Amino acid sequence: MNDYLQYTGKTAVVTGAASGIGRATAQRLVELGAEVHVIDYAPTELSGLASAIQANLGVREDIDRAFASLPEHIDAFFGVAGVSGMQHDYNTTVLINYGSYKYISKTYLEARMGDGGAIAYVSSLGGINWERYQEELEGLIQADGWDAIVATIEGLGLQDQPGPAAYALSKRVLNLFTAHSATELASRGIRVNALLPTNTETGLTSDFAVMRGGRDQLEANAGLHKGLATPEEMADPLVFLNSHAARYISGQPLLVDFGARNLQLLGRKADMLDRPLIGNAQSAR
């Protein structure tokens, strides 16, 4: 059988691999023959890994230390790690969910990737309709370097808002950053995409249940045919996005929700995902 995904011998880096979608992604990549390096705040216990690094994506020194030990050439990067905001303040939530990836891309990925390189971020259905907020988000996109990113986040003046209120903003700006990166890196043959998962059974499920008013609400809005998705049902399309089989796909915010979004698009259900960037933070992951 032909190897359409072509991960054999490729170097892949996965964040958030200790559990959930990140772990399922790392497992798939190991099975596909990739050299897999993972980064997570928690210890990652998974056989077949080339390395497992503990690091806090909200701390620049941790990111720098992690990449200092990673290979000088990276074929595929999977930015899966993220937080709900329930355990973090507003600014830290934006920094981890978006700022860390802007810093990683500009400081490391663009220097270590060549033609055929691929980047995929796990965003969220909570970041849908990002294109309507480009003017509000532009300052975060333009911030260059860790200190500037931190200063721009602080400049939003929203540090007194609860952490979960930052979730939708952080995911929308990550989607916008995906579009910018895909455009800027196209001439170098580097692809950038984002996966927008529906409600999925992960380590953050309990947080999102609180944010959405109960687990039953998560299950009711996950997809049209059943309850919460499994991590593998998100990992498989994520692995596809960075594979050779998807070599002409870039700048794509891929919704994976078994058609549930169509209820809003067809006007059969209120568009609960189109909410202000400030205030109501209830969203899906």
Side-chain angles (χ1 to χ4, degrees):
M1 181 177 180
N2 290 328
D3 179 12
Y4 295 108
L5 299 182
Q6 296 188 19
Y7 277 109
T8 303
K10 298 291 181 64
T11 300
V13 176
V14 184
T15 70
S19 63
I21 298 171
R23 181 181 178 83
T25 298
Q27 179 67 62
R28 287 287 193 265
L29 292 169
V30 168
E31 294 168 351
L32 290 166
E35 176 188 316
V36 183
H37 302 263
V38 301
I39 303 171
D40 201 300
Y41 182 77
T44 302
E45 298 179 1
L46 187 65
S47 62
L49 297 177
S51 70
I53 305 165
Q54 283 187 252
N56 182 347
L57 294 186
V59 178
R60 172 173 52 186
E61 291 75 14
D62 273 22
I63 295 174
D64 292 341
R65 174 179 53 80
F67 275 85
S69 67
L70 290 173
E72 285 302 310
H73 178 77
I74 297 171
D75 295 295
F77 178 81
F78 299 82
V80 184
V83 297
S84 68
M86 290 289 288
Q87 316 302 325
H88 298 80
D89 61 34
Y90 190 101
N91 289 355
T92 302
T93 299
V94 179
L95 182 60
I96 292 174
N97 288 355
Y98 163 67
S100 65
Y101 290 124
K102 170 72 183 288
Y103 177 74
I104 287 170
S105 178
K106 293 297 182 182
T107 307
Y108 295 107
L109 298 183
E110 294 183 18
R112 298 190 187 186
M113 283 186 165
D115 189 16
I119 301 168
Y121 300 111
V122 171
S123 177
S124 170
L125 286 180
I128 205 72
N129 297 326
W130 57 269
E131 64 276 8
R132 302 180 188 178
Y133 302 94
Q134 293 186 57
E135 185 174 346
E136 295 176 66
L137 300 173
E138 192 61 29
L140 289 166
I141 293 295
Q142 295 302 321
D144 186 20
W146 184 269
D147 291 340
I149 292 169
V150 171
T152 302
I153 293 172
E154 292 175 347
L156 296 174
L158 300 173
Q159 61 273 6
D160 293 331
Q161 294 283 324
Y167 187 80
L169 180 146
S170 69
K171 295 301 185 177
R172 280 174 177 155
V173 71
L174 183 59
N175 290 337
L176 178 58
F177 177 64
T178 297
H180 275 272
S181 293
T183 303
E184 294 168 2
L185 298 177
S187 63
R188 294 182 52 198
I190 300 172
R191 301 184 298 107
V192 188
N193 291 291
L195 184 85
L196 281 59
T198 189
N199 299 317
T200 303
E201 192 71 70
T202 73
L204 296 179
T205 299
S206 59
D207 285 356
F208 291 123
V210 173
M211 292 162 65
R212 290 297 301 272
R215 183 184 173 93
D216 59 330
Q217 293 299 311
L218 296 182
E219 294 177 346
N221 292 284
L224 296 181
H225 78 311
K226 62 175 185 177
L228 299 184
T230 67
E232 291 74 18
E233 287 169 328
M234 297 299 130
D236 288 344
L238 185 64
V239 168
F240 165 75
L241 280 177
N242 270 356
S243 77
H244 178 75
R247 60 193 176 276
Y248 214 76
I249 299 176
S250 192
Q252 177 66 35
L254 180 63
L255 279 67
V256 185
D257 66 349
F258 211 91
R261 175 63 174 159
N262 289 319
L263 294 178
Q264 285 86 36
L265 297 177
L266 294 172
R268 299 179 185 177
K269 190 174 183 179
D271 191 348
M272 298 302 293
L273 295 172
D274 190 17
R275 52 177 67 88
L277 294 180
I278 302 172
N280 187 349
Q282 297 176 359
S283 57
R285 169 74 177 268

Short mmCIF file of all heavy atoms in Angstrom, two decimals, residues 19-22 24 197-209 215 218-219 222 227-234 285:
data_model
loop_
_atom_site.label_atom_id
_atom_site.label_comp_id
_atom_site.label_asym_id
_atom_site.label_seq_id
_atom_site.Cartn_x
_atom_site.Cartn_y
_atom_site.Cartn_z
N SER A 19 -1.78 14.48 27.11
CA SER A 19 -3.15 13.95 27.16
C SER A 19 -3.95 14.45 25.96
O SER A 19 -3.47 15.27 25.18
CB SER A 19 -3.85 14.38 28.46
OG SER A 19 -3.97 15.80 28.50
N GLY A 20 -5.16 13.95 25.83
CA GLY A 20 -6.11 14.46 24.86
C GLY A 20 -5.68 14.41 23.41
O GLY A 20 -5.06 13.44 22.96
N ILE A 21 -6.01 15.45 22.67
CA ILE A 21 -5.73 15.51 21.24
C ILE A 21 -4.23 15.45 20.96
O ILE A 21 -3.78 14.81 20.02
CB ILE A 21 -6.35 16.78 20.62
CG1 ILE A 21 -7.87 16.77 20.77
CG2 ILE A 21 -5.97 16.90 19.14
CD1 ILE A 21 -8.54 18.07 20.38
N GLY A 22 -3.43 16.11 21.78
CA GLY A 22 -1.99 16.10 21.59
C GLY A 22 -1.41 14.71 21.74
O GLY A 22 -0.55 14.30 20.94
N ALA A 24 -3.01 11.83 21.36
CA ALA A 24 -3.48 11.01 20.24
C ALA A 24 -2.72 11.35 18.96
O ALA A 24 -2.41 10.46 18.16
CB ALA A 24 -4.98 11.23 20.04
N PRO A 197 -11.72 22.17 16.48
CA PRO A 197 -12.47 21.01 16.97
C PRO A 197 -13.80 21.38 17.61
O PRO A 197 -13.96 22.47 18.17
CB PRO A 197 -11.54 20.41 18.02
CG PRO A 197 -10.26 21.18 17.95
CD PRO A 197 -10.60 22.50 17.34
N THR A 198 -14.71 20.45 17.55
CA THR A 198 -15.93 20.55 18.34
C THR A 198 -15.61 20.12 19.76
O THR A 198 -14.45 19.86 20.11
CB THR A 198 -17.03 19.66 17.74
OG1 THR A 198 -18.26 19.94 18.42
CG2 THR A 198 -16.69 18.19 17.87
N ASN A 199 -16.62 20.04 20.62
CA ASN A 199 -16.42 19.60 21.99
C ASN A 199 -15.87 18.17 22.00
O ASN A 199 -16.47 17.26 21.43
CB ASN A 199 -17.74 19.64 22.75
CG ASN A 199 -18.31 21.05 22.82
OD1 ASN A 199 -17.58 22.00 23.05
ND2 ASN A 199 -19.60 21.18 22.59
N THR A 200 -14.72 18.01 22.64
CA THR A 200 -13.98 16.76 22.60
C THR A 200 -13.62 16.32 24.01
O THR A 200 -13.36 17.17 24.89
CB THR A 200 -12.70 16.94 21.75
OG1 THR A 200 -13.07 17.39 20.45
CG2 THR A 200 -11.92 15.65 21.64
N GLU A 201 -13.58 15.03 24.24
CA GLU A 201 -13.23 14.49 25.55
C GLU A 201 -11.73 14.65 25.78
O GLU A 201 -10.92 13.89 25.26
CB GLU A 201 -13.60 13.01 25.62
CG GLU A 201 -13.56 12.42 27.02
CD GLU A 201 -14.67 12.92 27.91
OE1 GLU A 201 -15.84 12.57 27.68
OE2 GLU A 201 -14.35 13.69 28.86
N THR A 202 -11.34 15.67 26.55
CA THR A 202 -9.94 15.94 26.85
C THR A 202 -9.82 16.31 28.32
O THR A 202 -10.80 16.33 29.06
CB THR A 202 -9.38 17.09 26.00
OG1 THR A 202 -9.92 18.34 26.47
CG2 THR A 202 -9.71 16.91 24.52
N GLY A 203 -8.60 16.66 28.72
CA GLY A 203 -8.38 17.08 30.09
C GLY A 203 -9.05 18.40 30.43
O GLY A 203 -9.17 18.76 31.60
N LEU A 204 -9.53 19.13 29.41
CA LEU A 204 -10.20 20.40 29.64
C LEU A 204 -11.72 20.29 29.63
O LEU A 204 -12.42 21.29 29.79
CB LEU A 204 -9.76 21.42 28.58
CG LEU A 204 -8.29 21.83 28.58
CD1 LEU A 204 -8.02 22.82 27.46
CD2 LEU A 204 -7.88 22.42 29.93
N THR A 205 -12.23 19.07 29.45
CA THR A 205 -13.68 18.89 29.34
C THR A 205 -14.43 19.43 30.55
O THR A 205 -15.47 20.09 30.42
CB THR A 205 -14.03 17.41 29.12
OG1 THR A 205 -13.43 16.97 27.91
CG2 THR A 205 -15.53 17.21 29.03
N SER A 206 -13.91 19.17 31.74
CA SER A 206 -14.60 19.64 32.95
C SER A 206 -14.64 21.16 33.00
O SER A 206 -15.64 21.75 33.44
CB SER A 206 -13.93 19.08 34.20
OG SER A 206 -12.57 19.48 34.27
N ASP A 207 -13.57 21.82 32.54
CA ASP A 207 -13.57 23.28 32.49
C ASP A 207 -14.65 23.80 31.54
O ASP A 207 -15.41 24.72 31.87
CB ASP A 207 -12.21 23.80 32.02
CG ASP A 207 -11.13 23.69 33.07
OD1 ASP A 207 -11.44 23.28 34.20
OD2 ASP A 207 -9.97 24.03 32.75
N PHE A 208 -14.71 23.21 30.35
CA PHE A 208 -15.68 23.67 29.36
C PHE A 208 -17.11 23.36 29.80
O PHE A 208 -18.03 24.09 29.44
CB PHE A 208 -15.37 23.07 27.99
CG PHE A 208 -14.11 23.60 27.38
CD1 PHE A 208 -13.09 22.76 27.00
CD2 PHE A 208 -13.93 24.96 27.21
CE1 PHE A 208 -11.92 23.25 26.45
CE2 PHE A 208 -12.77 25.47 26.67
CZ PHE A 208 -11.75 24.61 26.29
N ALA A 209 -17.29 22.29 30.56
CA ALA A 209 -18.62 21.98 31.08
C ALA A 209 -19.10 23.09 32.01
O ALA A 209 -20.26 23.51 31.95
CB ALA A 209 -18.59 20.64 31.81
N ARG A 215 -22.12 19.43 31.32
CA ARG A 215 -21.62 18.50 30.32
C ARG A 215 -22.69 18.18 29.28
O ARG A 215 -22.39 17.97 28.10
CB ARG A 215 -21.15 17.21 31.00
CG ARG A 215 -20.54 16.21 30.04
CD ARG A 215 -20.16 14.90 30.74
NE ARG A 215 -19.73 13.92 29.77
CZ ARG A 215 -18.47 13.72 29.40
NH1 ARG A 215 -17.51 14.43 29.95
NH2 ARG A 215 -18.16 12.80 28.51
N LEU A 218 -22.39 20.45 26.43
CA LEU A 218 -21.28 20.11 25.54
C LEU A 218 -21.67 18.99 24.59
O LEU A 218 -21.42 19.04 23.40
CB LEU A 218 -20.06 19.68 26.36
CG LEU A 218 -19.40 20.70 27.28
CD1 LEU A 218 -18.18 20.08 27.95
CD2 LEU A 218 -19.01 21.96 26.52
N GLU A 219 -22.28 17.96 25.14
CA GLU A 219 -22.65 16.80 24.33
C GLU A 219 -23.71 17.15 23.30
O GLU A 219 -23.68 16.67 22.16
CB GLU A 219 -23.13 15.67 25.24
CG GLU A 219 -22.04 15.13 26.15
CD GLU A 219 -22.55 14.07 27.11
OE1 GLU A 219 -23.79 13.95 27.25
OE2 GLU A 219 -21.71 13.37 27.71
N ALA A 222 -21.96 19.00 20.28
CA ALA A 222 -20.70 18.52 19.75
C ALA A 222 -20.79 18.18 18.26
O ALA A 222 -19.91 18.54 17.49
CB ALA A 222 -20.23 17.30 20.54
N GLY A 227 -22.44 12.34 20.92
CA GLY A 227 -21.94 13.26 21.93
C GLY A 227 -20.54 13.72 21.64
O GLY A 227 -20.16 13.95 20.49
N LEU A 228 -19.74 13.86 22.70
CA LEU A 228 -18.39 14.39 22.57
C LEU A 228 -17.55 13.56 21.62
O LEU A 228 -17.65 12.33 21.57
CB LEU A 228 -17.71 14.43 23.93
CG LEU A 228 -18.34 15.29 25.02
CD1 LEU A 228 -17.47 15.27 26.27
CD2 LEU A 228 -18.55 16.72 24.54
N ALA A 229 -16.70 14.23 20.88
CA ALA A 229 -15.76 13.54 20.00
C ALA A 229 -14.64 12.93 20.84
O ALA A 229 -14.38 13.37 21.97
CB ALA A 229 -15.17 14.52 19.00
N THR A 230 -13.99 11.94 20.30
CA THR A 230 -12.82 11.37 20.96
C THR A 230 -11.58 12.13 20.51
O THR A 230 -11.58 12.77 19.44
CB THR A 230 -12.64 9.89 20.60
OG1 THR A 230 -12.30 9.78 19.21
CG2 THR A 230 -13.92 9.10 20.88
N PRO A 231 -10.49 12.09 21.29
CA PRO A 231 -9.26 12.75 20.86
C PRO A 231 -8.78 12.26 19.50
O PRO A 231 -8.26 13.03 18.69
CB PRO A 231 -8.27 12.39 21.97
CG PRO A 231 -9.12 12.21 23.19
CD PRO A 231 -10.38 11.56 22.66
N GLU A 232 -8.95 10.96 19.24
CA GLU A 232 -8.51 10.39 17.97
C GLU A 232 -9.29 10.96 16.79
O GLU A 232 -8.74 11.10 15.69
CB GLU A 232 -8.65 8.87 17.99
CG GLU A 232 -7.70 8.15 18.93
CD GLU A 232 -8.06 8.29 20.39
OE1 GLU A 232 -9.22 8.65 20.70
OE2 GLU A 232 -7.18 8.04 21.25
N GLU A 233 -10.55 11.31 17.02
CA GLU A 233 -11.36 11.86 15.93
C GLU A 233 -10.93 13.29 15.57
O GLU A 233 -11.28 13.79 14.50
CB GLU A 233 -12.84 11.83 16.33
CG GLU A 233 -13.40 10.42 16.29
CD GLU A 233 -14.78 10.28 16.91
OE1 GLU A 233 -15.08 11.02 17.88
OE2 GLU A 233 -15.55 9.42 16.45
N MET A 234 -10.17 13.93 16.43
CA MET A 234 -9.56 15.23 16.12
C MET A 234 -8.11 15.06 15.65
O MET A 234 -7.64 15.78 14.77
CB MET A 234 -9.61 16.14 17.34
CG MET A 234 -11.01 16.47 17.80
SD MET A 234 -11.95 17.34 16.52
CE MET A 234 -13.44 16.35 16.51
N ARG A 285 -14.45 23.47 22.39
CA ARG A 285 -13.09 23.02 22.05
C ARG A 285 -13.17 21.60 21.55
O ARG A 285 -13.69 20.74 22.23
CB ARG A 285 -12.20 23.09 23.29
CG ARG A 285 -10.84 22.39 23.13
CD ARG A 285 -9.92 23.19 22.26
NE ARG A 285 -8.62 22.53 22.19
CZ ARG A 285 -7.61 22.79 23.01
NH1 ARG A 285 -7.72 23.68 23.95
NH2 ARG A 285 -6.47 22.17 22.87
#
